[in-house]
Amino acid sequence: MFINYLDASHFKRYFFKYLQATILQMTNKTKVVIVGGGPTGATLTLLLLRQGIEVKLIEASRDFRRLFRGEGLMPSGLDALEQMDLLKFLPHLPHQSIDAWDFLLAGKSLFRVNEPIETNGQSCTTVSQPHLLDVIMQQAHNYPQFEFIRGDAVKDILRESNRVTGVILASEQEITADLVIAADGRNSLMRKKAGVNLNQLHNSIDILWFKLDSGVLGDQKNIFYSIIKGRDAFGLFRGSQGEFHIGWGLHPDDTYDWKEIDWSRKLIETSPSWFAKHIETHRESLTKPMMLSVVVGLCDRWSIPGLLLLGDAAHPMSPIRAQGINMAFRDAIVAANHLTPLLTQSNVHCQQLDRLLPLIQQEREPEIVRIQKLQSQEMAQAELLHKSAFVRWGAKTFTSIIRPSIRFSWLRRQKQLRQGVTEVRLTTNN
Ligand SMILES: Cc1cc2nc3c(=O)[nH]c(=O)nc-3n(C[C@H](O)[C@H](O)[C@H](O)COP(=O)(O)OP(=O)(O)OC[C@H]3O[C@@H](n4cnc5c(N)ncnc54)[C@H](O)[C@@H]3O)c2cc1C
């Protein structure tokens, strides 16, 4: 009798647990949860949805416009958009192509290269990222198996027997999934919660970002200037909406406190005369500096059971030569290629899925390592000019002699920075 009672209560407990799990599966468990709706998360969401896979996308911000978002796309990024059938939206989005790159040292051009660099190639183009993300989300909403949770950040991950099984949102909502994908950017909380190590590279820098009306200069060619004067340097180009963007590099050995500086004066002092005059005229439109702390690095591993890290969450990219968005799109394509065959099965075998995840890192890592190395080399040259008055003097005095060789070595680096390093082809059908 006692044994029978135990059996019955055991059965009841087991039955209710089973029922609870089944209900959870029916009501809550999803195939894929993607954390972060930036370039990585948004494009991967769309690629999986097109294959009929159920996706929940969680984005902390309510509006894509509220965060700083890079804009420059290289030919490799434009090609990725084409492969994802998204390039057709470009003419309807705010965008500007870059016409040339020019390096000015103390007001004199070290060298200039016109776009497109490749014969019959595409020009580097700035595209409004919030507009692009909005268009991708509009596409995603065409799929009934899509859910977009926005304005609610993930605050923790759920685990069961050492496998990541879902996420907990700030609103306390719990979402379980066969696979969680962390696309939550360079300061990834998911990475920290998962205990994945990020090897930070030395070329992590801070940048101050400004915008300025372009006025009559808006009708001229859009040249990306790297402007160097003494130890100071900044990048200048017209962004997707036609206004000037200014990115000022901060260095640990700077002798000033950036918060105390009269920035319109500092920019005028550093600029060639034509741009100094422009700042004088449009001084009122110069925005306050936005401090962007740039982390650069690479994770030892991009996955643990149940969780895949992608984009800046796995390999935060430096802003140098506009690489991060392009790499994000290419990560999404490779991940979709690998994940689609398994995720389109009605019953996903979690162990099979976990065995697949390292293959995505294996395919993407060589390109990321190479691109980060090329970015470091660009950075090292800028650092040399920043640190050594002698090098600056030499470059200024002997410009005409050294011009061909520095132009050649710059161009040699650009090939992979523009085209990518490995072959990335979307194999799933749209
Ligand atoms: C100053 C600067 C300029 C840059 N300029 C360029 C450029 O011109 N071209 C280029 O290619 N790259 C550029 N980059 C790099 C590029 O911005 C990144 O590499 C790229 O955005 C990475 O995309 P992502 O989707 O992986 O991450 P992100 O773009 O960072 O997107 C992550 C998303 O996750 C969301 N999120 C974060 N935490 C959570 C959470 N806990 N829960 C839910 N959501 C969360 C964020 O709101 C965000 O929308 C620049 C970087 C910097 C710092």
Side-chain angles (χ1 to χ4, degrees):
M1 170 79 178
F2 183 62
I3 290 175
N4 276 350
Y5 171 76
L6 253 190
D7 273 356
S9 74
H10 194 80
F11 172 76
K12 253 202 266 169
R13 219 174 328 137
Y14 177 79
F15 177 72
F16 279 118
K17 241 181 149 180
Y18 174 78
L19 196 68
Q20 204 181 10
T22 313
I23 292 171
L24 192 72
Q25 216 161 13
M26 281 163 56
T27 56
N28 213 359
K29 192 174 179 190
T30 184
K31 274 258 165 83
V32 181
V33 161
I34 298 183
V35 182
T40 310
T43 49
L44 182 56
T45 295
L46 187 59
L47 293 180
L48 297 180
L49 288 172
R50 283 177 182 163
Q51 301 308 313
I53 298 162
E54 184 197 359
V55 181
K56 277 197 172 103
L57 174 65
I58 303 159
E59 167 55 47
S61 66
R62 282 196 187 283
D63 182 340
F64 289 130
R65 283 161 187 77
R66 292 186 68 189
L67 280 183
F68 170 83
R69 300 193 182 260
E71 297 204 324
L73 287 183
M74 288 290 173
S76 68
L78 296 167
D79 168 66
L81 283 179
E82 171 74 40
Q83 290 191 53
M84 294 187 282
D85 199 26
L86 292 169
L87 195 61
K88 63 187 181 198
F89 297 111
L90 188 69
H92 313 290
L93 306 175
H95 73 284
Q96 301 260 333
S97 53
I98 302 280
D99 297 308
W101 306 85
D102 203 342
F103 295 79
L104 302 181
L105 179 62
K108 256 172 74 182
S109 178
L110 272 179
F111 68 96
R112 179 186 277 214
V113 174
N114 290 329
E115 283 274 358
I117 294 180
E118 305 83 5
T119 333
N120 301 327
Q122 282 175 303
S123 297
C124 176
T125 304
T126 58
V127 184
S128 160
Q129 207 191 118
H131 285 83
L132 178 62
L133 293 175
D134 279 342
V135 160
I136 299 172
M137 284 304 99
Q138 276 164 24
Q139 297 293 303
H141 280 294
N142 291 332
Y143 296 87
Q145 78 280 20
F146 174 53
E147 192 183 334
F148 190 18
I149 302 174
R150 70 183 319 174
D152 201 352
V154 166
K155 67 167 191 181
D156 212 341
I157 53 180
L158 291 165
R159 287 180 201 253
E160 221 171 88
S161 320
N162 275 334
R163 188 172 195 276
V164 174
T165 52
V167 291
I168 310 176
L169 307 188
S171 61
E172 301 300 338
Q173 187 186 351
E174 295 189 2
I175 301 171
T176 53
D178 289 324
L179 177 65
V180 177
I181 297 174
D184 54 339
R186 54 185 181 273
N187 298 314
S188 174
L189 177 93
M190 299 291 290
R191 183 175 68 218
K192 286 169 204 147
K193 293 286 176 187
V196 173
N197 180 42
L198 174 74
N199 295 311
Q200 211 159 313
L201 301 184
H202 296 304
N203 58 353
S204 299
I205 46 167
D206 289 333
I207 290 187
L208 291 181
W209 208 265
F210 306 81
K211 285 184 187 173
L212 176 73
D213 280 356
S214 57
V216 287
L217 295 181
D219 300 329
Q220 297 185 3
K221 285 193 166 183
N222 188 12
I223 296 168
F224 189 113
Y225 289 102
S226 298
I227 296 173
I228 306 150
K229 188 169 181 198
R231 292 163 56 82
D232 295 328
F234 64 93
L236 168 71
F237 63 100
R238 275 206 321 273
S240 62
Q241 323 237 14
E243 75 287 46
F244 279 126
H245 286 226
I246 297 168
W248 179 283
L250 288 175
H251 302 266
D253 62 350
D254 283 336
T255 50
Y256 55 84
D257 177 354
W258 70 268
K259 292 188 199 109
E260 305 293 322
I261 292 274
D262 172 351
W263 275 103
S264 54
R265 220 167 110 193
K266 181 95 177 150
L267 286 165
I268 286 169
E269 284 165 8
T270 315
S271 296
S273 58
W274 60 267
F275 193 59
K277 268 189 218 136
H278 182 83
I279 303 175
E280 290 271 17
T281 316
H282 296 273
R283 198 189 276 258
E284 295 302 308
S285 71
L286 185 71
T287 58
K288 286 206 170 75
M290 185 195 292
M291 159 71 154
L292 300 164
S293 216
V294 182
V295 180
V296 184
L298 183 64
C299 286
D300 294 334
R301 47 189 311 196
W302 297 16
S303 64
I304 58 171
L307 175 73
L308 171 68
L309 285 95
L310 281 181
D312 268 17
H315 50 75
M317 303 298 291
S318 155
I320 291 173
R321 291 282 156 263
Q323 292 297 306
I325 305 169
N326 309 271
M327 293 302 114
F329 292 160
R330 288 161 72 85
D331 278 9
I333 289 178
V334 170
N337 286 346
H338 282 277
L339 294 172
T340 298
L342 261 189
L343 291 175
T344 40
Q345 290 173 13
S346 50
N347 275 326
V348 176
H349 197 287
C350 290
Q351 280 169 345
Q352 247 178 318
L353 195 54
D354 294 342
R355 277 199 296 273
L356 184 91
L357 301 181
L359 301 181
I360 297 167
Q361 175 178 0
Q362 232 173 64
E363 189 173 337
R364 288 299 297 140
E365 197 170 42
E367 175 162 282
I368 300 299
V369 169
R370 177 71 187 143
I371 293 291
Q372 288 186 335
K373 192 169 174 198
L374 289 168
Q375 289 183 306
S376 294
Q377 288 173 7
E378 297 260 320
M379 181 76 187
Q381 294 206 333
E383 279 295 299
L384 192 63
L385 286 166
H386 167 76
K387 286 201 172 124
S388 170
F390 178 70
V391 172
R392 288 195 300 273
W393 171 81
K396 203 172 122 190
T397 313
F398 304 108
T399 304
S400 52
I401 299 167
I402 61 168
R403 179 174 289 132
S405 61
I406 49 171
R407 188 175 187 275
F408 176 77
S409 83
W410 184 82
L411 276 172
R412 210 177 39 189
R413 275 198 306 277
Q414 302 317 302
K415 187 169 186 301
Q416 291 184 325
L417 286 168
R418 296 169 65 82
Q419 315 268 313
V421 178
T422 52
E423 174 82 1
V424 171
R425 290 282 125 220
L426 183 65
T427 55
T428 57
N429 292 323
N430 284 328

